[in-house]
Amino acid sequence: MIRVLIVDDSATARHILREILESDARLKVVGLAADAYIARDMIVELKPDVICLDVEMPRMDGVTFLQKLMLHYPTPVVMVSSLTRNSANTTLDALEAGAIDYVTKPHSHIYDGKEEIKEELIQKVVNASHARVQKKIPMMKVNPHHTSLSETTHKVIVIGASTGGTEALKVVLGGLPSTSPAVLVVQHMPHSFLESFAMRLNQLCVLDVKMARHGEFLQTGTVYIAQGGKHMVLRRSGASYFIEIGLGAKVSGHCPSVDVLFNSVSKVAGSNAIGVILTGMGSDGARGLFHMHEAGAKTIAQNEESCVVYGMPKESVKLGGVDEVLPLPEIAHAIVKMLV
């Protein structure tokens, strides 16, 4: 039984969220709190396995509360908030502060949209109960590895990530030098958040980080983030690589899918590629990484101890497609060594 605490200033929202969660036999709501101060006392007393936390609350907002919680009483948190003009940045702030995942309330009247979020909310709370949560220490800006790399267009780096990946990508991409080959990234995240996410990464990295565009040719020192709801694949024209983006059914449960990107890279780039699989629930990317490995690419998986959720890397290791299993802080250095 997964014990859940709901923190929301709306009595209606608390009631509906409880109704949704307790419709699943695996979940039990052990407490309802109207604000952060009530929640603080309940957490100490009830010791919930997962907290569902609203963003906009009186006395203390959800992100501020989350920052304090992760510093003093680390607990898996799923943010449940309304979609607003600033929701993308607020969601990224929450993930930065240590939230495992997020669910967007579909309407101001939550009664009208409870069926829309039911499956997603239940699954994300269950996933969060398995997540690794550690005391959140403010992350220092990562210094890139200043290894001299020759500028080349025939090498390419591809990275797949899901739950916990927004923070993991900061560490990996922040550690790569400006002369790195082009990097293609699939991060499972709604399209409405990805533009803001790319902008944040661009501010943190010496690499140029941008949203991928259909037909765009790859440039050295550039990171391309896959669009939400569309698959991204690598193609080749003569000596140059370019990106193809298109609609398609979910693969391995996702669109964009890491498997789709990695499979295309195995065929187009072969031994000239480096594949990296980071923290995330499920198995997306495992088969694609195996195919890259079979094609001669170098492959890396994040280790269990540094993952928020050891799902995608675990499945990749089980399939036998991983050359190195490394702690998150060592991955960027390993990539650079593979390129020299």
Side-chain angles (χ1 to χ4, degrees):
M1 187 68 72
I2 300 166
R3 305 169 76 254
V4 185
L5 174 67
I6 296 171
V7 187
D8 196 303
D9 65 316
S10 166
T12 301
R14 295 195 299 272
H15 172 76
I16 294 299
L17 293 176
R18 180 175 195 163
E19 187 178 300
I20 291 172
L21 294 173
E22 292 197 333
S23 69
D24 190 289
R26 295 169 292 179
L27 305 175
K28 178 178 177 59
V29 175
V30 296
L32 303 170
D35 65 35
Y37 292 93
I38 297 171
R40 177 192 61 191
D41 296 335
M42 283 187 167
I43 291 166
V44 174
E45 178 188 352
L46 300 172
K47 298 180 174 57
D49 300 310
V50 180
I51 298 169
C52 287
L53 179 63
D54 189 18
V55 172
E56 296 181 3
M57 296 187 297
R59 300 209 286 171
M60 185 187 297
D61 67 88
V63 174
T64 301
F65 176 60
L66 182 60
Q67 291 167 340
K68 295 177 183 294
L69 178 70
M70 290 302 165
L71 191 59
H72 301 291
Y73 206 100
T75 306
V77 171
V78 175
M79 304 300 293
V80 185
S81 61
S82 300
L83 187 63
T84 66
R85 186 169 57 182
N86 296 319
S87 59
N89 284 323
T90 302
T91 298
L92 293 172
D93 288 341
L95 293 172
E96 225 169 62
I100 300 299
D101 220 324
Y102 48 87
V103 175
T104 302
K105 295 176 186 173
H107 302 288
S108 56
H109 299 293
I110 194 169
Y111 272 116
D112 299 334
K114 68 176 184 178
E115 290 303 317
E116 295 178 34
I117 66 168
K118 180 177 179 179
E119 184 178 345
E120 180 187 10
L121 178 62
I122 288 171
Q123 190 57 58
K124 288 187 174 181
V125 169
V126 171
N127 291 350
S129 72
H130 299 294
R132 184 186 300 271
V133 181
Q134 298 174 338
K135 192 176 207 180
K136 190 72 177 178
I137 306 298
M139 192 177 73
M140 302 297 290
K141 186 171 182 178
V142 181
N143 291 319
H145 296 274
H146 294 292
T147 303
S148 178
L149 296 174
S150 58
E151 294 197 8
T152 174
T153 57
H154 70 275
K155 295 281 188 183
V156 63
I157 302 164
V158 289
I159 303 175
S162 189
T163 312
T166 55
E167 294 304 293
L169 282 166
K170 288 180 185 178
V171 176
V172 175
L173 297 177
L176 295 178
S178 59
T179 51
S180 292
V183 184
L184 275 62
V185 174
V186 170
Q187 164 68 51
H188 297 155
M189 178 181 280
H191 181 74
S192 57
F193 297 147
L194 282 165
E195 195 79 49
S196 295
F197 178 54
M199 289 173 63
R200 287 199 182 198
L201 286 176
N202 193 50
Q203 292 170 352
L204 291 169
C205 305
V206 296
L207 297 168
D208 180 23
V209 183
K210 60 193 294 189
M211 295 298 298
R213 307 297 176 198
H214 179 69
E216 190 168 14
F217 282 85
L218 301 193
Q219 300 292 324
T220 299
T222 306
V223 179
Y224 302 88
I225 308 290
Q227 297 179 24
K230 296 180 181 180
H231 290 301
M232 177 170 71
V233 298
L234 184 69
R235 299 295 188 210
R236 189 163 196 151
S237 176
S240 301
Y241 297 121
F242 69 94
I243 294 168
E244 187 174 284
I245 293 173
L247 297 172
K250 289 183 178 181
V251 175
S252 303
H254 297 279
C255 184
S257 165
V258 183
D259 272 328
V260 169
L261 173 62
F262 283 9
N263 283 333
S264 71
V265 172
S266 71
K267 297 169 185 173
V268 173
S271 60
N272 287 318
I274 296 174
V276 181
I277 197 83
L278 300 176
T279 174
M281 182 66 65
S283 62
D284 188 27
R287 290 192 178 279
L289 197 71
F290 176 79
H291 293 147
M292 286 183 62
H293 184 266
E294 290 289 287
K298 303 227 175 18
T299 57
I300 299 170
Q302 186 177 347
N303 74 344
E304 181 175 4
E305 290 73 21
S306 64
C307 279
V308 172
V309 178
Y310 188 56
M312 289 157 55
K314 178 182 179 181
E315 295 304 315
S316 300
V317 172
K318 280 171 62 178
L319 278 181
V322 176
D323 291 318
E324 295 190 52
V325 179
L326 298 171
L328 180 62
E330 297 180 17
I331 291 176
H333 183 60
I335 292 172
V336 172
K337 282 174 61 180
M338 290 174 174
L339 292 167
V340 174

